[in-house]
Amino acid sequence: MVPFGKMTMAKYKSKGAIIAEQLLLKIESGEYPSGSRLPAERLISEQMGVSRPSVREAISALHIIGIVESRPGDGNYVAEHLDFGGLSYQLKNIFDESDSPYEILQARKAFEAGAVSLAIEEGSDRDIENIARIWNEKRALGRSGDFNSYTRMGNELHYTIAQASGNRIVISVVERLLDITDQPLWPRMRQLYLEKHPEQMQRSLDIHDRLVQAIQERNSYEAIKVIEEHFNLLIGQLYNANGMDA
């Protein structure tokens, strides 16, 4: 196979979008025919001179539109019986509608640590009870293996924490960050990871248990520590070597 060339940046296009377009071109040209295995994400990253998070976002977009399929433990494969009509347009739409999940998680980590501290300081007992109630509902979804609903309900939990702060600016900013999180790439990347690594669900449940316990105890130091650990875990799962095709 012809190696991937170094990526040239294009105005108004994310790195993930450019990588995805190059992969699609190689698939459409027959260089990677239906049923063939794509190169490891590490190799694509090295050949193109881009970060592995950008490669992961590109391949996740190809998953969303059905071009690529994941085989746990065996990497990413070009899907069978592809119809290439309109795929470039679909791919463009995904990146037009999505910010980088990596940057979203970094922003949420920076901001929500302060939001949870303020919720503990300002929230009423009823606010704290509401946070615990929503977490109990979300935890039940996680334990049932309903990864899609579990991911969606995460937004409700984090928004409820922000509401407990009583600060309209905090609530507005967190709401905006959560709206961005609902863009196509993040939910799909999260769902794919949990489907590949269902055993990791327990780590997420444990962290949220500790977070809600710290909120109930009004322990700001512990809550900030745990919420930062939560976002570090998400970033690690989706982007670091342990969560990626080597």
Side-chain angles (χ1 to χ4, degrees), residues 105 108-109 112 227-235:
L105 292 172
R108 287 187 59 187
K109 174 186 171 184
E112 291 191 39
I227 206 162
E228 289 180 344
E229 182 182 340
H230 166 57
F231 284 109
N232 287 339
L233 175 65
L234 289 177
I235 291 169

Side-chain angles (χ1 to χ4, degrees), residues 20 23-24 27 38 57-68 91:
L23 283 166
L24 179 57
I27 292 168
L38 290 178
E57 289 170 9
I59 290 179
S60 294
L62 296 175
H63 274 282
I64 291 172
I65 62 175
I67 297 175
V68 171
L91 197 60

Side-chain angles (χ1 to χ4, degrees), residues 162-183:
Q163 283 184 310
S165 74
N167 185 301
R168 289 177 299 171
I169 295 173
V170 168
I171 294 168
S172 176
V173 173
V174 169
E175 184 176 26
R176 173 59 182 145
L177 286 170
L178 293 174
D179 285 344
I180 295 172
T181 304
D182 273 340
Q183 295 169 349

Side-chain angles (χ1 to χ4, degrees), residues 14-38:
S14 70
K15 291 179 181 178
I18 296 169
I19 297 164
E21 287 174 356
Q22 290 201 22
L23 283 166
L24 179 57
L25 285 173
K26 285 180 175 287
I27 292 168
E28 288 179 328
S29 71
E31 187 172 339
Y32 293 103
S34 292
S36 65
R37 187 181 189 276
L38 290 178

Side-chain angles (χ1 to χ4, degrees), residues 110-162:
F111 200 86
E112 291 191 39
V116 74
S117 178
L118 195 57
I120 287 170
E121 292 173 13
E122 301 293 338
S124 67
D125 289 344
R126 177 172 288 184
D127 290 330
I128 304 302
E129 289 170 4
N130 199 31
I131 291 168
R133 177 186 59 79
I134 290 172
W135 166 235
N136 288 334
E137 293 175 11
K138 180 179 177 181
R139 180 172 52 196
L141 291 171
R143 286 178 172 168
S144 72
D146 188 348
F147 304 137
N148 193 25
S149 297
Y150 176 83
T151 299
R152 286 201 313 270
M153 196 166 187
N155 285 7
E156 185 177 355
L157 175 65
H158 288 268
Y159 182 66
T160 304
I161 293 171

Side-chain angles (χ1 to χ4, degrees), residues 205-242:
L205 295 176
D206 290 345
I207 283 179
H208 282 85
D209 276 336
R210 289 166 49 210
L211 173 62
V212 173
Q213 181 180 349
I215 293 171
Q216 289 174 313
E217 295 173 353
R218 296 189 182 267
N219 184 338
S220 293
Y221 174 81
E222 180 66 14
I224 291 170
K225 185 175 97 171
V226 174
I227 206 162
E228 289 180 344
E229 182 182 340
H230 166 57
F231 284 109
N232 287 339
L233 175 65
L234 289 177
I235 291 169
Q237 287 177 337
L238 298 188
Y239 290 107
N240 291 348
N242 290 338

